[in-house]
Amino acid sequence: MIPVVVDMDSGTDDALALMMLLNSQAVEVVGITTVGGNARLADTTRNALRLLEYMGRPDIPVARGAARTAQRAFHYAYDVHGARGLGIPLPSPTTRPVRSRAPAFISRMASRYRGKLNIIALGPLTNIARALRKEPRIVEWTKQLVVMGGAVDVAGNITPYAEFNTFNDPDAAHTVLASFFATSLVGLDVTTRVSFDRTDAPWFTGDAPAATLSKRIVRTWFDEHLTSPRYHLHDPLAVIAALDPNLFSWHRASIDVEMENAARLGMTTATYGSGPVRVAVAVRAEDATAAVTDMLSRPGDRASGA
Ligand code: BDR
Ligand code: CA
């Protein structure tokens, strides 16, 4: 089993990504770290706890991370993700986050699963950058860091230049993408090619817990965004990249993140050829979409749907 820490700003597509991982027989989610981004930290943490409980996995530890960046408050996306960042009601969690905060938790997991840990980062990179500053050896201990973020050779989604996650903490994105983590960058270049169409409802088959909740989340999102024909699978695609990288074409690069120019904050520019990051430049979109559907339509081995 691949040990995975998920760093997330849960978020509707973060929720789908988490349920894919929980449904996978190949993965052991050893912990979740939360960060503000799509919603306030209190909401993203609560959503992570609620999702774990719904999926019958309240045993998975959740560590709270950053409520803001070193420079500023996060820009939230309640308009995209809905009330409390998920848009659907779920019972209140009965569990609480663990005592350690995200950076310490990430270091501990990287040390415990030395050489094996996969980190899948689905929000602003604030927690990962702080973990790196605290314990630089996590770079060697982590097998792979998959980042959903950046818009390398395409336009941004929060500004014409920047993708939402890198925009939200450009300094952290710079720190992490310039580090020597084995990083796979899954940005808008590929994620905007992988989506569910409104007309393809119900998108998932069966009535297992992940499929049932995913249907509710995606259906509610379409109901709230009546003029949008497509729901982009940004964070789910990062999960696919971690588990099935052969569906992508990758180019090695060094990535520059704009940290100063106010209009271009979070813009990601690649110099291809060499560098610490492999950038997803193309994806077999139909296969990737089918893989998302499949992972969320499975019964899942431990899901109870309680
Ligand atoms: C990213 O921003 C968030 O809204 C999504 O959850 C995803 O991580 C896409 O730009
Ligand atoms: Ca996210």
Side-chain angles (χ1 to χ4, degrees):
M1 299 260 267
I2 306 165
V4 171
V5 166
V6 190
D7 185 75
M8 59 198 284
D9 61 336
S10 13
T12 59
D13 61 329
D14 303 70
L16 301 189
L18 175 63
M19 289 191 280
M20 289 164 68
L21 289 164
L22 295 173
N23 260 4
S24 167
Q25 309 274 350
V27 166
E28 178 71 30
V29 178
V30 297
I32 293 177
T33 50
T34 56
V35 62
N38 286 323
R40 287 182 187 80
L41 179 69
D43 285 333
T44 64
T45 304
R46 189 169 174 274
N47 289 343
L49 293 167
R50 301 198 286 170
L51 288 163
L52 287 178
E53 206 148 308
Y54 172 85
M55 289 293 286
R57 296 302 311 273
D59 56 300
I60 295 176
V62 175
R64 285 187 310 137
R68 48 168 291 134
T69 77
Q71 290 75 24
R72 61 188 85 83
F74 287 122
H75 174 94
Y76 301 122
Y78 287 99
D79 54 330
V80 177
H81 292 268
R84 297 212 159 199
L86 213 48
I88 51 150
L90 267 182
S92 293
T94 58
T95 54
R96 295 181 53 77
V98 296
R99 283 169 74 93
S100 49
R101 297 298 291 236
F105 183 85
I106 290 169
S107 308
R108 205 165 64 244
M109 291 301 124
S111 169
R112 182 177 301 168
Y113 297 98
R114 222 168 268 212
K116 297 196 193 109
L117 186 70
N118 278 238
I119 302 175
I120 304 184
L122 305 176
L125 289 167
T126 322
N127 292 337
I128 315 294
R130 288 182 187 174
L132 187 61
R133 266 183 227 117
K134 217 175 151 68
E135 176 48 274
R137 288 177 296 176
I138 63 172
V139 161
E140 302 142 37
W141 297 340
T142 302
K143 183 168 188 203
Q144 177 178 217
L145 168 68
V146 180
V147 172
M148 191 285 125
V152 181
D153 294 314
V154 295
N157 58 356
I158 182 74
T159 70
Y161 303 102
E163 180 277 331
F164 183 80
N165 290 336
T166 54
F167 171 85
N168 242 332
D169 195 344
D171 296 75
H174 165 76
T175 300
V176 173
L177 296 177
S179 75
F180 285 91
F181 269 118
T183 303
S184 301
L185 187 66
V186 180
L188 298 184
D189 305 67
V190 285
T191 66
T192 52
R193 295 176 195 282
V194 177
S195 56
F196 287 142
D197 277 26
R198 179 186 292 277
T199 50
D200 288 344
W203 313 287
F204 312 97
T205 55
D207 55 4
T212 303
L213 190 62
S214 300
K215 272 182 231 171
R216 273 176 67 200
I217 289 174
V218 177
R219 184 169 291 132
T220 304
W221 189 89
F222 275 119
D223 288 348
E224 298 293 325
H225 298 85
L226 289 174
T227 56
S228 301
R230 273 181 296 281
Y231 177 83
H232 288 302
L233 297 166
H234 301 292
D235 293 341
L237 196 62
V239 171
I240 300 295
L243 301 181
D244 198 355
N246 293 331
L247 290 182
F248 298 76
S249 304
W250 302 94
H251 284 174
R252 192 140 288 281
S254 59
I255 301 287
D256 179 68
V257 184
E258 179 58 56
M259 292 182 284
E260 272 155 29
N261 180 310
R264 296 180 183 223
L265 272 188
M267 183 171 103
T268 43
T269 310
T271 306
Y272 289 114
S274 64
V277 177
R278 62 171 194 168
V279 180
V281 295
V283 59
R284 277 162 42 197
E286 265 183 38
D287 292 343
T289 312
V292 173
T293 296
D294 177 59
M295 288 183 80
L296 286 168
S297 300
R298 286 177 198 163
D301 47 346
R302 278 169 290 202
S304 73

